[in-house]
Amino acid sequence: MERPTKEQIKALPFYIGLGLSDIKIIENAQDADQALSALANETCLGFDTETKPIFRKGEESPGPALIQLATESCAYLFPTRFPFAVNAARVLLSNEGIQKVGFGIKDDNKALRNKLDIEVANTQDLSVILKNKVGEKNTIGARAAVAMVLNLCLRKGAQISNWGAYPLKTSQILYAANDAHSAICVAKALGNK
């Protein structure tokens, strides 16, 4: 297994992942309760966050605008503009019994701690695992990991969109859900789940 080139990744079939019917956005207290019920007994969740990009020098990041958690069959998006969504995400992320897997999650964990007072427990950074597995100098991001492990091309088109805007666009919903979903799929394929 080795890191593919950008050209090799582009030549792969697209990672389809989850559709809109498999994605739940936590927009009210009832949604938050349902997410907690659905995810509380999971042993492993794909995990990611999205933050509004900063384009001006000296401008401080407002922190994560969205927290994503996914199983192999569904994803839950927690917009941080809603306190009940943040509280539900906090319960799940701080649960020692649920492993959270993702790519480059050190910065996600730091931002969640500093901006939302969420301590993420029991994490596994797939970027580091893959880096060590193939003897790379640099960490391996989600797109390269999906290509290496699943032989698919993860689209990153919505990555630098305005995550602070609401409601989310369909492209953002699919992108965010499938970033977290791809993590759990890669972890399963690697035998880390």
Side-chain angles (χ1 to χ4, degrees):
M1 185 187 311
E2 61 183 44
R3 183 194 292 260
T5 65
K6 287 182 181 179
E7 292 73 28
Q8 289 170 324
I9 294 173
K10 286 180 186 175
L12 293 170
F14 284 129
Y15 175 87
I16 302 300
L18 300 173
L20 287 174
S21 63
D22 303 315
I23 303 166
K24 183 70 178 163
I25 302 172
I26 309 308
E27 296 181 303
N28 57 52
Q30 184 179 355
D31 291 343
D33 290 342
Q34 288 173 346
L36 285 170
S37 294
L39 299 176
N41 294 318
E42 293 291 329
T43 57
C44 184
L45 293 170
F47 161 58
D48 196 20
T49 67
E50 301 300 338
T51 300
K52 179 183 173 188
I54 300 299
F55 297 108
R56 293 190 187 102
K57 187 177 179 178
E59 189 176 354
E60 186 177 328
S61 171
L66 188 68
I67 300 166
Q68 305 103 267
L69 294 171
T71 68
E72 290 178 64
S73 60
C74 61
Y76 292 82
L77 307 181
F78 299 81
T80 60
R81 64 178 48 240
F82 301 125
F84 43 79
V86 172
N87 290 335
R90 180 180 289 113
V91 168
L92 295 164
L93 290 170
S94 64
N95 185 331
E96 289 276 355
I98 304 172
Q99 183 177 59
K100 279 65 73 179
V101 296
F103 301 99
I105 57 178
K106 181 179 175 184
D107 290 339
D108 294 320
N109 293 348
K110 184 178 177 183
L112 287 167
R113 184 181 320 107
N114 294 341
K115 300 291 184 175
L116 297 171
D117 194 31
I118 296 175
E119 285 292 336
V120 186
N122 192 3
T123 61
Q124 187 171 61
D125 194 327
L126 299 170
S127 298
V128 175
I129 288 169
L130 279 168
K131 169 189 160 178
N132 295 335
K133 190 176 190 90
V134 299
E136 280 277 329
K137 216 183 334 180
N138 301 317
T139 56
I140 295 170
R143 193 161 197 247
V146 168
M148 290 169 68
V149 177
L150 304 176
N151 292 313
L152 296 169
C153 176
L154 182 65
R155 292 178 244 200
K156 298 297 263 181
Q159 185 173 21
I160 58 167
S161 60
N162 183 358
W163 293 101
Y166 205 81
L168 297 170
K169 296 177 184 166
T170 299
S171 61
Q172 290 176 304
I173 293 167
L174 289 168
Y175 169 85
N178 283 307
D179 252 14
H181 183 258
S182 68
I184 198 159
C185 292
V186 166
K188 181 182 180 194
L190 290 172
N192 288 41
K193 177 191 167 276

